[in-house]
Amino acid sequence: MKESLKLERNEPAADVLSKSIRSMGYSLESAIADVIDNSISAGAHDVQVKFPVDPSDVYIAICDNGSGMNKAELFDAMKYGSVLKGDNRSESDLGRFGMGLKSASHSQCRRLTVISKKSDMISGYVWDLDLVDEKKDWIMINLSENQVCDVRHYDYLSNKKSGTVVVWENFDFIRKETGDEYAGIVDQQNAVSDYLSLIFHRFLSKDKKDRLSIKVNNFSLIPFDPFLESHKKTTVRKEITLPIEDANGVERKITAIPYVLPFQKDLSEDDKKLSGGIENYRTKQGYYIYRNERLIVWGTWFNRHRDELSKYARVKVDIPNTLDDIWGIDIKKQSAKIPASIRQRLNRAVDDVMDVAVKKQTYRGRIAKVNDDFEYVWNRIDNRGNFVYSINRESSLFKLLESKVNEDAMPYVEMVLKEIEQNVPFQQIYVDKSQDKIDEVVSDERIAEITENAKMMVQMVMELNSSLTREEAVENVFKKEPFCKHPEIKEKV
């Protein structure tokens, strides 16, 4: 007879596990956004984020007029791994694990207080990690009716039919990092406002009946628009629908809309602010992934090739929350990956938008060829009889750079190169050249440098095309600038 299994309970140590949960990598703005997700899921149309205004009273509060919770519901919502959140999750829910409220809050503070109103009753609970450490158990404070009335912004709920107030206190991480809890929080207020204006921009832009209002210390947030949809020079491509099965075999739909944004020179100051700032405009091309209209990941091509001609291309992708596991949505809702099953189809959408972006860029001028046999570092572009110069992004030297720089850094490389192109000192070069004051002597050190670079380029060419002999690879490299200017070193290579 087979021996039965002996089962034993092995509960985690509360004080130890709570420290681990606090280290999930939330920023202040992403933690606040996670709490607001709960407000939206509860049907709130008004959210107010309260930052401290008095150095002697430091806290952050997030108030909403959503459906609220009764005492039993609030007790469950305060549980790590909420049962109601896990078992009865609607398709419009922005949560996932039943962890967001607690993990986001405790990533920033040690004391979390939540009061909630439903059916004219206001209930309240407190997670105080100092108490958890003392008791070494998952012990909450159950607030009495009088204690609930003493919670900050209780008055917000007094004239509402329903709603919830979340209060954070005791910001130990910020205090240790900055030495000044109050200043450390207040200094981040603008960054939080900008983040929320982007993450929730589609909720903030809805028709009046469905629109979400978010205030930060009574300042109403204005939604950003990363696609500048109202700009007359924005190109909007046809929406693409991609069917995909979820983990249960049910067919779901993903939609993708490619956009090509206007040139930077066509933007007004208001346009720049609306897009989230000029640096984001320059560097954040790529996919914008939304889950139930909430922005999760943006400004990435997911390791797909980036180049100068696609810098204005962006693709809005909408996924339902039923595909969270397939898309790898993490608990902070700050990362996602494209499932292999739809990557090729999404890439076709990107190819479509790339084609338009290239056409928009290249109509401004054509590359004036100097010698078709050689590849140059600089392009001379004929723009209706006037010439501009740009670094050749198709050159082997640039491709080498691109292969060695990670995806996140490439937008900044592009930004630097663009500034170099825009700030070539033509006038001074002309003056110095006319006075024969430009040093054009190629030193021995420079020859040695070019020789070593050529060897590296030959090796790269051979790795990319294994069928080439070394001699053929050398011939290939010495058709490129700067090597084509120094045929005397070819034999050394």
Side-chain angles (χ1 to χ4, degrees):
M1 181 177 175
K2 188 176 180 179
E3 185 177 355
S4 61
L5 297 176
K6 183 178 180 180
L7 307 180
E8 289 188 30
R9 183 180 297 278
N10 190 354
E11 294 183 349
D15 55 329
V16 177
L17 183 57
S18 67
K19 290 182 176 66
S20 301
I21 292 172
R22 301 191 72 199
S23 303
M24 288 185 174
Y26 282 94
S27 62
L28 179 61
E29 56 264 32
S30 64
I32 291 174
D34 212 333
V35 175
I36 294 176
D37 285 340
N38 292 333
S39 302
I40 294 172
S41 296
H45 288 91
D46 177 72
V47 173
Q48 297 188 20
V49 182
K50 306 291 187 180
F51 273 75
V53 293
D54 182 351
S56 66
D57 187 21
V58 180
Y59 70 92
I60 292 176
I62 300 106
C63 313
D64 73 61
N65 68 341
S67 56
M69 294 168 279
N70 60 33
K71 196 171 189 67
E73 291 168 338
L74 177 57
F75 181 85
D76 182 76
M78 296 289 276
K79 183 186 301 179
Y80 279 88
S82 166
V83 176
L84 294 177
K85 177 69 74 174
D87 292 346
N88 300 296
R89 186 167 174 243
S90 74
E91 291 190 4
S92 62
D93 192 359
L94 294 178
R96 181 181 181 189
F97 298 96
M99 293 279 285
L101 170 64
K102 289 76 64 179
S103 60
S105 300
H106 282 147
S107 73
Q108 305 301 313
C109 70
R110 293 190 62 81
R111 184 179 175 89
L112 163 65
T113 303
V114 183
I115 59 173
S116 195
K117 182 178 183 179
K118 187 174 184 179
S119 302
D120 292 326
M121 295 293 294
I122 301 180
S123 309
Y125 284 99
V126 178
W127 272 121
D128 191 324
L129 296 185
D130 290 344
L131 180 62
V132 172
D133 286 352
E134 177 189 336
K135 301 295 185 182
K136 299 191 183 305
D137 201 355
W138 298 106
I139 302 296
M140 283 195 305
I141 299 171
N142 180 356
L143 297 179
S144 68
E145 187 174 333
N146 288 335
Q147 290 169 332
V148 164
C149 295
D150 292 334
V151 173
R152 292 180 178 86
H153 300 290
Y154 168 86
D155 57 327
Y156 175 88
L157 296 178
S158 61
N159 61 353
K160 302 280 192 305
K161 290 183 178 180
S162 59
T164 300
V165 173
V166 175
V167 181
W168 296 348
E169 299 168 278
N170 192 357
F171 298 87
D172 56 329
F173 289 152
I174 293 175
R175 186 167 56 249
K176 290 174 184 176
E177 181 179 345
T178 66
D180 187 330
E181 195 175 33
Y182 174 76
I185 291 173
V186 171
D187 285 348
Q188 297 183 65
Q189 184 172 325
N190 288 337
V192 169
S193 297
D194 288 347
Y195 186 84
L196 300 180
S197 293
L198 176 62
I199 295 296
F200 298 111
H201 74 91
R202 292 172 70 178
F203 295 94
L204 296 166
S205 303
K206 288 180 180 289
D207 293 336
K208 189 172 183 180
K209 180 172 72 77
D210 300 316
R211 185 182 305 154
L212 174 68
S213 168
I214 300 179
K215 292 182 178 179
V216 176
N217 278 12
N218 298 318
F219 173 76
S220 295
L221 298 187
I222 298 173
F224 289 156
D225 179 7
F227 309 104
L228 289 182
E229 294 188 63
S230 61
H231 198 288
K232 64 181 180 180
K233 291 192 176 182
T234 295
T235 301
V236 185
R237 305 297 284 166
K238 181 181 177 182
E239 180 177 290
I240 298 164
T241 301
L242 307 173
I244 181 174
E245 288 189 355
D246 65 18
N248 298 316
V250 178
E251 185 177 280
R252 306 292 181 177
K253 301 229 182 292
I254 294 170
T255 61
I257 304 177
Y259 295 80
V260 182
L261 276 60
F263 296 121
Q264 186 177 321
K265 72 177 184 62
D266 295 321
L267 302 182
S268 66
E269 289 304 313
D270 287 341
D271 292 331
K272 293 173 185 177
K273 292 177 184 176
L274 185 63
S275 67
I278 197 61
E279 182 176 347
N280 285 335
Y281 196 81
R282 289 170 172 166
T283 63
K284 294 300 184 182
Q285 73 270 37
Y287 287 111
Y288 280 64
I289 308 296
Y290 295 83
R291 173 176 166 274
N292 290 355
E293 300 188 303
R294 194 261 206 210
L295 187 57
I296 301 290
V297 177
W298 63 96
T300 175
W301 285 121
F302 292 110
N303 296 319
R304 194 184 163 84
H305 172 68
R306 294 175 185 244
D307 58 35
E308 174 71 8
L309 296 180
S310 65
K311 64 187 287 185
Y312 297 113
R314 298 182 179 186
V315 183
K316 180 198 293 182
V317 180
D318 276 297
I319 64 174
N321 66 8
T322 48
L323 297 178
D324 280 357
D325 52 348
I326 296 175
W327 278 79
I329 304 293
D330 72 344
I331 191 170
K332 305 188 302 293
K333 287 162 279 187
Q334 289 182 281
S335 67
K337 60 184 179 181
I338 299 180
S341 57
I342 64 164
R343 183 173 299 163
Q344 186 175 2
R345 287 179 287 168
L346 263 180
N347 283 344
R348 281 200 290 269
V350 174
D351 288 339
D352 180 43
V353 73
M354 291 289 197
D355 180 60
V356 177
V358 168
K359 289 177 181 177
K360 286 189 72 172
Q361 286 272 45
T362 56
Y363 90 92
R364 305 172 74 189
R366 60 182 177 82
I367 297 174
K369 293 291 185 182
V370 179
N371 187 331
D372 288 335
D373 293 332
F374 293 138
E375 174 191 282
Y376 294 96
V377 173
W378 284 86
N379 283 330
R380 179 173 181 257
I381 300 174
D382 185 352
N383 188 12
R384 301 182 179 91
N386 295 314
F387 293 95
V388 294
Y389 294 84
S390 69
I391 294 171
N392 182 8
R393 266 65 167 187
E394 297 303 317
S395 71
S396 299
L397 283 174
F398 185 81
K399 295 299 183 187
L400 177 62
L401 169 68
E402 200 171 40
S403 69
K404 302 300 182 183
V405 176
N406 67 45
E407 183 186 14
D408 291 337
M410 270 310 292
Y412 298 98
V413 173
E414 278 290 349
M415 182 172 67
V416 171
L417 294 181
K418 192 68 176 176
E419 290 306 316
I420 291 172
E421 293 168 339
Q422 295 294 320
N423 292 282
V424 175
F426 294 109
Q427 184 68 25
Q428 192 60 49
I429 291 173
Y430 175 78
V431 171
D432 291 340
K433 182 68 175 174
S434 66
Q435 296 178 357
D436 198 23
K437 290 184 177 181
I438 292 181
D439 184 0
E440 297 184 88
V441 175
V442 181
S443 67
D444 291 341
E445 290 81 1
R446 174 61 176 156
I447 291 294
E449 181 181 53
I450 293 171
T451 303
E452 291 305 311
N453 290 345
K455 291 177 182 178
M456 184 167 55
M457 290 294 297
V458 168
Q459 186 64 32
M460 186 186 78
V461 168
M462 293 180 70
E463 289 174 358
L464 292 175
N465 190 343
S466 58
S467 66
L468 291 179
T469 66
R470 184 170 183 83
E471 289 73 17
E472 289 170 331
V474 170
E475 288 297 327
N476 181 298
V477 167
F478 276 83
K479 289 184 178 181
K480 310 176 191 304
E481 197 174 36
F483 314 110
C484 62
K485 295 178 179 179
H486 300 278
E488 73 278 6
I489 66 173
K490 185 189 293 188
E491 289 305 316
K492 296 180 180 179
V493 174

